[in-house]
Amino acid sequence: MLCRAGKSFSFVPPFPARDQLTLLHRELQPDTKPPTSAGTPPRLKLSPSTFQQGGLFLFASSQRMGDYDEDTAFLGQTGPYFWTTFFLLNTVFVSTGFNGLYIVFVGAAPKHRCLVPDVNLTAEWTEAIIPLAVVGGEEVQSQCSRYRLDVVRNLSAGGFAPGRDVNLTDLEQERCLDGWHYSKDVYPSNIVTEWDLVCDDQWKVPFASSTLFVGYLFGSLISGHLSDRYGRKKVVFISLAAQCLSVLLQSFSQSWRMFCVMFLFVGASQISIYISAFVLGTEILSKTMRVLFTTLGAFLFYCIGYMTLPWIAYAIRDWRTLLAVLSMTAVAYVPLWWFIPESPRWLVTRGRLEEAEAIVRDAARKNKVQAPPVVFKVSQGVSLSKTYSMLDVLKSKNIRRITLMCLVLWMAINVGYFGLSLNTSNLSGDPFMNCFLSAAAEVPAYVVSTWLLRTCPRKALLSSFLVIGGGVLLLIQFIPNTLQYVALALEMTGKFGFTMAFSIVYIYTAELYPTVIRNAGMGMCSSAARIGSITAPYVIYLGTYNKALPYILMGSLTIASSVVNFFLPETLNRDLPETVEQMQECQCCAMVPKRVNR
């Protein structure tokens, strides 16, 4: 429980993110009407800033202390202080966009075939020693086998010609005992070519990708506790330093195992940056600026970093140099330590009123307003209430049913979102342009979802974009290879649909749960999301067996989840349930009906 001067907040960092990660922050506001009976807390309604991306979920309890927003209202809603802080904090999110997803290029498998040592083979046998295989309806050279070298050498020395004197299908094959020859047209050097992560070892690439998302899980669990204890600003900059060091050490990896271990730390530090910076922004900025920061600012600057990544990777093809350069970008954030303040709200909760007042007075000076003699009023005590855990989510039949359906939704959306993000290097065409387009598809999705969530029913909205995302994935497999641009357009449409669904599912899920177990419910859904993101690389790995398999699996799972979504209740313009008992009164998982103003 985090207490601030004004309201007490409970939070659990359920997500990265991306995942990663995409939470819309909404601020819960008490209804202005008095309680209907003594001891009954006021209902809570959602305003346009209820959730936050990056795995942090906050809700305001009914117990009141001195209100921070009222105490600092003299600062106004905008001004130089707020705008400067807004842009400086948003620049931090750029680093989260291009760190981590570089695995798309660093782990991409170039064209390869068995290496044939120089054993005086004729030109005909040098070409024919690699057998042909049918992949995707096309006949290509095998990537993992060759005809036995000793047999071919004897045939070549005897003057036999392949195909004319010798039937190649009768020759025995063997693995690539002497290594592989890799095409260097696109990727001169990456972890695949350096450690031969192909054929029997190609599973190591999706495993490496999964360690990033495991890091997301650990980072989201510990960053909230660290920022509560040591402060938001310190955790942001310590996490930036940890990310810089992790990526730099990863560039010096001498083995695949070391690469995976460092990738776990990259994921943990990256999500810690996102969560802590997001919290810092929501607590420093005014209410008007907070809405802009949490609905568009952080997301769009994340996309700027994501869209920048393919061009950096295009310019720097060597993977070690690429990671070293990306790690050094964190140095640009060092000067921000002297320009980004600590959260005054957090300082107040820690009893450090003098430091909090100094920051607020500096903000007043920059906004050219007069601060009162006493900024923070003496706050009242906060009464303790019953605490709830994840076990309480499973006690009620109705909530169990809702939770099960939400788990399916979160897992399916994360599989699709991160699956498409990691699959850009496998698409036809230029992999760098494909990655850029995949990132660019998220920008309109964030803008449109922010606008639609204000007026549209959540259930219909989420189902529609799940069908769009899953439907186009099922259609891709029917597009012939000659229409590569059509397939690419469908893939980007799918990415748009999954990003929209990602944005909607957060607010929808939080509106479904009663206030007393909302954090626990969001935490369980986030765990399912992490399972989905960790699974995504292996879904893409299925494409090595059949190119259509990832699309069939992701599309089918998404369509199935859209059907599940129809059994959830609608939440638009309805009051949020406060207690488990209020939800128990509902039949067929219906939400508490909207009150009629008299």
Side-chain angles (χ1 to χ4, degrees), residues 129-158:
I129 193 173
I130 306 298
L132 298 178
V134 178
V135 178
E138 296 183 0
E139 199 173 56
V140 296
Q141 287 187 324
S142 174
Q143 296 182 326
C144 299
S145 63
R146 69 186 183 190
Y147 294 118
R148 281 188 55 177
L149 183 60
D150 57 342
V151 174
V152 171
R153 182 171 52 191
N154 292 334
L155 292 173
S156 176

PDB file of all heavy atoms in Angstrom, residues 129-158:
ATOM      1  N   ILE A 129      26.706 -31.564 -53.791  1.00  0.00           N
ATOM      2  CA  ILE A 129      26.851 -32.241 -52.508  1.00  0.00           C
ATOM      3  C   ILE A 129      25.781 -31.835 -51.499  1.00  0.00           C
ATOM      4  O   ILE A 129      25.496 -32.548 -50.543  1.00  0.00           O
ATOM      5  CB  ILE A 129      28.268 -31.983 -51.920  1.00  0.00           C
ATOM      6  CG1 ILE A 129      28.536 -32.943 -50.760  1.00  0.00           C
ATOM      7  CG2 ILE A 129      28.401 -30.538 -51.478  1.00  0.00           C
ATOM      8  CD1 ILE A 129      29.951 -32.883 -50.243  1.00  0.00           C
ATOM      9  N   ILE A 130      25.164 -30.676 -51.737  1.00  0.00           N
ATOM     10  CA  ILE A 130      24.062 -30.233 -50.872  1.00  0.00           C
ATOM     11  C   ILE A 130      22.759 -30.732 -51.474  1.00  0.00           C
ATOM     12  O   ILE A 130      22.387 -30.347 -52.581  1.00  0.00           O
ATOM     13  CB  ILE A 130      24.018 -28.699 -50.737  1.00  0.00           C
ATOM     14  CG1 ILE A 130      25.375 -28.170 -50.267  1.00  0.00           C
ATOM     15  CG2 ILE A 130      22.920 -28.289 -49.779  1.00  0.00           C
ATOM     16  CD1 ILE A 130      25.795 -28.676 -48.907  1.00  0.00           C
ATOM     17  N   PRO A 131      22.030 -31.628 -50.774  1.00  0.00           N
ATOM     18  CA  PRO A 131      20.774 -32.156 -51.323  1.00  0.00           C
ATOM     19  C   PRO A 131      19.693 -31.079 -51.384  1.00  0.00           C
ATOM     20  O   PRO A 131      19.780 -30.046 -50.705  1.00  0.00           O
ATOM     21  CB  PRO A 131      20.404 -33.261 -50.336  1.00  0.00           C
ATOM     22  CG  PRO A 131      21.094 -32.914 -49.065  1.00  0.00           C
ATOM     23  CD  PRO A 131      22.348 -32.202 -49.453  1.00  0.00           C
ATOM     24  N   LEU A 132      18.700 -31.327 -52.206  1.00  0.00           N
ATOM     25  CA  LEU A 132      17.569 -30.410 -52.345  1.00  0.00           C
ATOM     26  C   LEU A 132      16.424 -30.865 -51.454  1.00  0.00           C
ATOM     27  O   LEU A 132      16.209 -32.052 -51.237  1.00  0.00           O
ATOM     28  CB  LEU A 132      17.118 -30.343 -53.800  1.00  0.00           C
ATOM     29  CG  LEU A 132      18.147 -29.819 -54.814  1.00  0.00           C
ATOM     30  CD1 LEU A 132      17.573 -29.851 -56.225  1.00  0.00           C
ATOM     31  CD2 LEU A 132      18.595 -28.408 -54.447  1.00  0.00           C
ATOM     32  N   ALA A 133      15.707 -29.891 -50.935  1.00  0.00           N
ATOM     33  CA  ALA A 133      14.549 -30.178 -50.079  1.00  0.00           C
ATOM     34  C   ALA A 133      13.411 -29.250 -50.475  1.00  0.00           C
ATOM     35  O   ALA A 133      13.638 -28.132 -50.956  1.00  0.00           O
ATOM     36  CB  ALA A 133      14.908 -29.997 -48.606  1.00  0.00           C
ATOM     37  N   VAL A 134      12.178 -29.709 -50.285  1.00  0.00           N
ATOM     38  CA  VAL A 134      10.997 -28.916 -50.606  1.00  0.00           C
ATOM     39  C   VAL A 134      10.549 -28.182 -49.341  1.00  0.00           C
ATOM     40  O   VAL A 134      10.199 -28.803 -48.332  1.00  0.00           O
ATOM     41  CB  VAL A 134       9.856 -29.793 -51.153  1.00  0.00           C
ATOM     42  CG1 VAL A 134       8.624 -28.932 -51.440  1.00  0.00           C
ATOM     43  CG2 VAL A 134      10.314 -30.524 -52.412  1.00  0.00           C
ATOM     44  N   VAL A 135      10.581 -26.844 -49.381  1.00  0.00           N
ATOM     45  CA  VAL A 135      10.175 -26.002 -48.253  1.00  0.00           C
ATOM     46  C   VAL A 135       9.150 -24.997 -48.752  1.00  0.00           C
ATOM     47  O   VAL A 135       9.452 -24.188 -49.637  1.00  0.00           O
ATOM     48  CB  VAL A 135      11.385 -25.267 -47.635  1.00  0.00           C
ATOM     49  CG1 VAL A 135      10.917 -24.365 -46.484  1.00  0.00           C
ATOM     50  CG2 VAL A 135      12.420 -26.259 -47.143  1.00  0.00           C
ATOM     51  N   GLY A 136       7.962 -25.062 -48.190  1.00  0.00           N
ATOM     52  CA  GLY A 136       6.914 -24.129 -48.613  1.00  0.00           C
ATOM     53  C   GLY A 136       6.546 -24.255 -50.057  1.00  0.00           C
ATOM     54  O   GLY A 136       6.206 -23.263 -50.713  1.00  0.00           O
ATOM     55  N   GLY A 137       6.628 -25.461 -50.591  1.00  0.00           N
ATOM     56  CA  GLY A 137       6.280 -25.688 -51.987  1.00  0.00           C
ATOM     57  C   GLY A 137       7.396 -25.358 -52.960  1.00  0.00           C
ATOM     58  O   GLY A 137       7.221 -25.511 -54.171  1.00  0.00           O
ATOM     59  N   GLU A 138       8.551 -24.910 -52.444  1.00  0.00           N
ATOM     60  CA  GLU A 138       9.672 -24.573 -53.305  1.00  0.00           C
ATOM     61  C   GLU A 138      10.832 -25.530 -53.037  1.00  0.00           C
ATOM     62  O   GLU A 138      11.035 -25.976 -51.913  1.00  0.00           O
ATOM     63  CB  GLU A 138      10.122 -23.129 -53.070  1.00  0.00           C
ATOM     64  CG  GLU A 138       9.078 -22.089 -53.442  1.00  0.00           C
ATOM     65  CD  GLU A 138       9.601 -20.684 -53.251  1.00  0.00           C
ATOM     66  OE1 GLU A 138      10.773 -20.535 -52.834  1.00  0.00           O
ATOM     67  OE2 GLU A 138       8.847 -19.738 -53.513  1.00  0.00           O
ATOM     68  N   GLU A 139      11.602 -25.830 -54.077  1.00  0.00           N
ATOM     69  CA  GLU A 139      12.754 -26.704 -53.953  1.00  0.00           C
ATOM     70  C   GLU A 139      13.998 -25.860 -53.679  1.00  0.00           C
ATOM     71  O   GLU A 139      14.393 -25.034 -54.504  1.00  0.00           O
ATOM     72  CB  GLU A 139      12.947 -27.524 -55.237  1.00  0.00           C
ATOM     73  CG  GLU A 139      13.820 -28.757 -55.049  1.00  0.00           C
ATOM     74  CD  GLU A 139      13.855 -29.630 -56.289  1.00  0.00           C
ATOM     75  OE1 GLU A 139      14.220 -29.088 -57.360  1.00  0.00           O
ATOM     76  OE2 GLU A 139      13.510 -30.829 -56.203  1.00  0.00           O
ATOM     77  N   VAL A 140      14.573 -26.041 -52.501  1.00  0.00           N
ATOM     78  CA  VAL A 140      15.736 -25.262 -52.086  1.00  0.00           C
ATOM     79  C   VAL A 140      16.809 -26.210 -51.555  1.00  0.00           C
ATOM     80  O   VAL A 140      16.546 -27.384 -51.283  1.00  0.00           O
ATOM     81  CB  VAL A 140      15.367 -24.234 -51.003  1.00  0.00           C
ATOM     82  CG1 VAL A 140      14.393 -23.211 -51.535  1.00  0.00           C
ATOM     83  CG2 VAL A 140      14.798 -24.934 -49.773  1.00  0.00           C
ATOM     84  N   GLN A 141      18.028 -25.685 -51.409  1.00  0.00           N
ATOM     85  CA  GLN A 141      19.103 -26.484 -50.847  1.00  0.00           C
ATOM     86  C   GLN A 141      18.865 -26.744 -49.368  1.00  0.00           C
ATOM     87  O   GLN A 141      18.402 -25.866 -48.635  1.00  0.00           O
ATOM     88  CB  GLN A 141      20.455 -25.777 -51.036  1.00  0.00           C
ATOM     89  CG  GLN A 141      20.982 -25.798 -52.461  1.00  0.00           C
ATOM     90  CD  GLN A 141      22.377 -25.232 -52.548  1.00  0.00           C
ATOM     91  OE1 GLN A 141      22.721 -24.287 -51.848  1.00  0.00           O
ATOM     92  NE2 GLN A 141      23.210 -25.796 -53.421  1.00  0.00           N
ATOM     93  N   SER A 142      19.169 -27.969 -48.943  1.00  0.00           N
ATOM     94  CA  SER A 142      19.016 -28.321 -47.540  1.00  0.00           C
ATOM     95  C   SER A 142      19.951 -27.466 -46.680  1.00  0.00           C
ATOM     96  O   SER A 142      21.089 -27.184 -47.061  1.00  0.00           O
ATOM     97  CB  SER A 142      19.329 -29.802 -47.328  1.00  0.00           C
ATOM     98  OG  SER A 142      19.318 -30.121 -45.949  1.00  0.00           O
ATOM     99  N   GLN A 143      19.469 -27.071 -45.507  1.00  0.00           N
ATOM    100  CA  GLN A 143      20.271 -26.235 -44.613  1.00  0.00           C
ATOM    101  C   GLN A 143      20.969 -27.044 -43.525  1.00  0.00           C
ATOM    102  O   GLN A 143      21.829 -26.506 -42.828  1.00  0.00           O
ATOM    103  CB  GLN A 143      19.378 -25.169 -43.961  1.00  0.00           C
ATOM    104  CG  GLN A 143      18.786 -24.183 -44.961  1.00  0.00           C
ATOM    105  CD  GLN A 143      17.948 -23.117 -44.273  1.00  0.00           C
ATOM    106  OE1 GLN A 143      17.289 -23.368 -43.273  1.00  0.00           O
ATOM    107  NE2 GLN A 143      17.991 -21.904 -44.805  1.00  0.00           N
ATOM    108  N   CYS A 144      20.602 -28.307 -43.384  1.00  0.00           N
ATOM    109  CA  CYS A 144      21.095 -29.072 -42.236  1.00  0.00           C
ATOM    110  C   CYS A 144      21.727 -30.413 -42.611  1.00  0.00           C
ATOM    111  O   CYS A 144      22.033 -31.211 -41.723  1.00  0.00           O
ATOM    112  CB  CYS A 144      19.959 -29.309 -41.234  1.00  0.00           C
ATOM    113  SG  CYS A 144      19.240 -27.796 -40.562  1.00  0.00           S
ATOM    114  N   SER A 145      21.886 -30.698 -43.877  1.00  0.00           N
ATOM    115  CA  SER A 145      22.484 -31.986 -44.250  1.00  0.00           C
ATOM    116  C   SER A 145      23.242 -31.862 -45.566  1.00  0.00           C
ATOM    117  O   SER A 145      23.054 -30.901 -46.322  1.00  0.00           O
ATOM    118  CB  SER A 145      21.404 -33.067 -44.367  1.00  0.00           C
ATOM    119  OG  SER A 145      20.487 -32.751 -45.405  1.00  0.00           O
ATOM    120  N   ARG A 146      24.075 -32.849 -45.819  1.00  0.00           N
ATOM    121  CA  ARG A 146      24.820 -32.944 -47.069  1.00  0.00           C
ATOM    122  C   ARG A 146      25.018 -34.430 -47.371  1.00  0.00           C
ATOM    123  O   ARG A 146      24.830 -35.294 -46.503  1.00  0.00           O
ATOM    124  CB  ARG A 146      26.171 -32.243 -46.949  1.00  0.00           C
ATOM    125  CG  ARG A 146      27.146 -32.962 -46.029  1.00  0.00           C
ATOM    126  CD  ARG A 146      28.427 -32.208 -45.795  1.00  0.00           C
ATOM    127  NE  ARG A 146      29.355 -32.986 -44.966  1.00  0.00           N
ATOM    128  CZ  ARG A 146      30.473 -32.497 -44.448  1.00  0.00           C
ATOM    129  NH1 ARG A 146      30.821 -31.242 -44.669  1.00  0.00           N
ATOM    130  NH2 ARG A 146      31.267 -33.285 -43.719  1.00  0.00           N
ATOM    131  N   TYR A 147      25.392 -34.729 -48.600  1.00  0.00           N
ATOM    132  CA  TYR A 147      25.735 -36.106 -48.922  1.00  0.00           C
ATOM    133  C   TYR A 147      27.093 -36.435 -48.272  1.00  0.00           C
ATOM    134  O   TYR A 147      27.941 -35.555 -48.088  1.00  0.00           O
ATOM    135  CB  TYR A 147      25.808 -36.311 -50.434  1.00  0.00           C
ATOM    136  CG  TYR A 147      24.465 -36.145 -51.125  1.00  0.00           C
ATOM    137  CD1 TYR A 147      24.273 -35.145 -52.078  1.00  0.00           C
ATOM    138  CD2 TYR A 147      23.404 -36.978 -50.804  1.00  0.00           C
ATOM    139  CE1 TYR A 147      23.039 -34.987 -52.708  1.00  0.00           C
ATOM    140  CE2 TYR A 147      22.172 -36.827 -51.436  1.00  0.00           C
ATOM    141  CZ  TYR A 147      21.996 -35.822 -52.373  1.00  0.00           C
ATOM    142  OH  TYR A 147      20.780 -35.670 -52.969  1.00  0.00           O
ATOM    143  N   ARG A 148      27.257 -37.693 -47.914  1.00  0.00           N
ATOM    144  CA  ARG A 148      28.477 -38.088 -47.207  1.00  0.00           C
ATOM    145  C   ARG A 148      29.720 -37.649 -47.971  1.00  0.00           C
ATOM    146  O   ARG A 148      29.893 -37.949 -49.163  1.00  0.00           O
ATOM    147  CB  ARG A 148      28.504 -39.601 -46.994  1.00  0.00           C
ATOM    148  CG  ARG A 148      27.629 -40.070 -45.840  1.00  0.00           C
ATOM    149  CD  ARG A 148      27.850 -41.540 -45.551  1.00  0.00           C
ATOM    150  NE  ARG A 148      29.265 -41.842 -45.304  1.00  0.00           N
ATOM    151  CZ  ARG A 148      29.704 -43.050 -44.971  1.00  0.00           C
ATOM    152  NH1 ARG A 148      28.836 -44.066 -44.867  1.00  0.00           N
ATOM    153  NH2 ARG A 148      31.002 -43.256 -44.774  1.00  0.00           N
ATOM    154  N   LEU A 149      30.569 -36.925 -47.276  1.00  0.00           N
ATOM    155  CA  LEU A 149      31.721 -36.311 -47.925  1.00  0.00           C
ATOM    156  C   LEU A 149      32.693 -37.347 -48.484  1.00  0.00           C
ATOM    157  O   LEU A 149      33.214 -37.186 -49.603  1.00  0.00           O
ATOM    158  CB  LEU A 149      32.438 -35.393 -46.927  1.00  0.00           C
ATOM    159  CG  LEU A 149      33.631 -34.607 -47.470  1.00  0.00           C
ATOM    160  CD1 LEU A 149      33.204 -33.701 -48.614  1.00  0.00           C
ATOM    161  CD2 LEU A 149      34.275 -33.788 -46.356  1.00  0.00           C
ATOM    162  N   ASP A 150      32.947 -38.447 -47.745  1.00  0.00           N
ATOM    163  CA  ASP A 150      33.908 -39.446 -48.238  1.00  0.00           C
ATOM    164  C   ASP A 150      33.410 -40.135 -49.499  1.00  0.00           C
ATOM    165  O   ASP A 150      34.167 -40.429 -50.435  1.00  0.00           O
ATOM    166  CB  ASP A 150      34.218 -40.468 -47.140  1.00  0.00           C
ATOM    167  CG  ASP A 150      32.969 -41.149 -46.620  1.00  0.00           C
ATOM    168  OD1 ASP A 150      31.849 -40.625 -46.845  1.00  0.00           O
ATOM    169  OD2 ASP A 150      33.098 -42.224 -45.993  1.00  0.00           O
ATOM    170  N   VAL A 151      32.085 -40.387 -49.565  1.00  0.00           N
ATOM    171  CA  VAL A 151      31.501 -41.014 -50.754  1.00  0.00           C
ATOM    172  C   VAL A 151      31.597 -40.076 -51.950  1.00  0.00           C
ATOM    173  O   VAL A 151      31.990 -40.466 -53.058  1.00  0.00           O
ATOM    174  CB  VAL A 151      30.046 -41.427 -50.493  1.00  0.00           C
ATOM    175  CG1 VAL A 151      29.391 -41.948 -51.771  1.00  0.00           C
ATOM    176  CG2 VAL A 151      29.961 -42.459 -49.383  1.00  0.00           C
ATOM    177  N   VAL A 152      31.217 -38.811 -51.722  1.00  0.00           N
ATOM    178  CA  VAL A 152      31.248 -37.827 -52.805  1.00  0.00           C
ATOM    179  C   VAL A 152      32.683 -37.609 -53.294  1.00  0.00           C
ATOM    180  O   VAL A 152      32.943 -37.470 -54.502  1.00  0.00           O
ATOM    181  CB  VAL A 152      30.620 -36.496 -52.332  1.00  0.00           C
ATOM    182  CG1 VAL A 152      30.838 -35.402 -53.375  1.00  0.00           C
ATOM    183  CG2 VAL A 152      29.132 -36.673 -52.063  1.00  0.00           C
ATOM    184  N   ARG A 153      33.647 -37.625 -52.394  1.00  0.00           N
ATOM    185  CA  ARG A 153      35.044 -37.428 -52.768  1.00  0.00           C
ATOM    186  C   ARG A 153      35.533 -38.564 -53.660  1.00  0.00           C
ATOM    187  O   ARG A 153      36.221 -38.330 -54.668  1.00  0.00           O
ATOM    188  CB  ARG A 153      35.905 -37.331 -51.513  1.00  0.00           C
ATOM    189  CG  ARG A 153      37.392 -37.077 -51.802  1.00  0.00           C
ATOM    190  CD  ARG A 153      38.128 -36.769 -50.512  1.00  0.00           C
ATOM    191  NE  ARG A 153      37.849 -37.802 -49.517  1.00  0.00           N
ATOM    192  CZ  ARG A 153      38.170 -37.697 -48.226  1.00  0.00           C
ATOM    193  NH1 ARG A 153      38.743 -36.585 -47.788  1.00  0.00           N
ATOM    194  NH2 ARG A 153      37.904 -38.684 -47.383  1.00  0.00           N
ATOM    195  N   ASN A 154      35.140 -39.780 -53.338  1.00  0.00           N
ATOM    196  CA  ASN A 154      35.538 -40.929 -54.158  1.00  0.00           C
ATOM    197  C   ASN A 154      34.879 -40.878 -55.530  1.00  0.00           C
ATOM    198  O   ASN A 154      35.519 -41.186 -56.556  1.00  0.00           O
ATOM    199  CB  ASN A 154      35.171 -42.232 -53.453  1.00  0.00           C
ATOM    200  CG  ASN A 154      36.005 -42.456 -52.200  1.00  0.00           C
ATOM    201  OD1 ASN A 154      37.125 -41.946 -52.087  1.00  0.00           O
ATOM    202  ND2 ASN A 154      35.470 -43.211 -51.248  1.00  0.00           N
ATOM    203  N   LEU A 155      33.608 -40.488 -55.561  1.00  0.00           N
ATOM    204  CA  LEU A 155      32.909 -40.390 -56.849  1.00  0.00           C
ATOM    205  C   LEU A 155      33.523 -39.300 -57.715  1.00  0.00           C
ATOM    206  O   LEU A 155      33.658 -39.443 -58.929  1.00  0.00           O
ATOM    207  CB  LEU A 155      31.425 -40.109 -56.614  1.00  0.00           C
ATOM    208  CG  LEU A 155      30.609 -41.244 -55.978  1.00  0.00           C
ATOM    209  CD1 LEU A 155      29.202 -40.769 -55.640  1.00  0.00           C
ATOM    210  CD2 LEU A 155      30.539 -42.451 -56.926  1.00  0.00           C
ATOM    211  N   SER A 156      33.858 -38.169 -57.067  1.00  0.00           N
ATOM    212  CA  SER A 156      34.476 -37.070 -57.815  1.00  0.00           C
ATOM    213  C   SER A 156      35.836 -37.485 -58.354  1.00  0.00           C
ATOM    214  O   SER A 156      36.184 -37.189 -59.517  1.00  0.00           O
ATOM    215  CB  SER A 156      34.623 -35.845 -56.907  1.00  0.00           C
ATOM    216  OG  SER A 156      35.287 -34.789 -57.565  1.00  0.00           O
ATOM    217  N   ALA A 157      36.632 -38.191 -57.527  1.00  0.00           N
ATOM    218  CA  ALA A 157      37.956 -38.644 -57.971  1.00  0.00           C
ATOM    219  C   ALA A 157      37.858 -39.681 -59.081  1.00  0.00           C
ATOM    220  O   ALA A 157      38.734 -39.772 -59.951  1.00  0.00           O
ATOM    221  CB  ALA A 157      38.736 -39.213 -56.785  1.00  0.00           C
ATOM    222  N   GLY A 158      36.741 -40.468 -59.097  1.00  0.00           N
ATOM    223  CA  GLY A 158      36.564 -41.490 -60.122  1.00  0.00           C
ATOM    224  C   GLY A 158      36.015 -40.949 -61.416  1.00  0.00           C
ATOM    225  O   GLY A 158      35.795 -41.722 -62.372  1.00  0.00           O
TER     226      GLY A 158
END
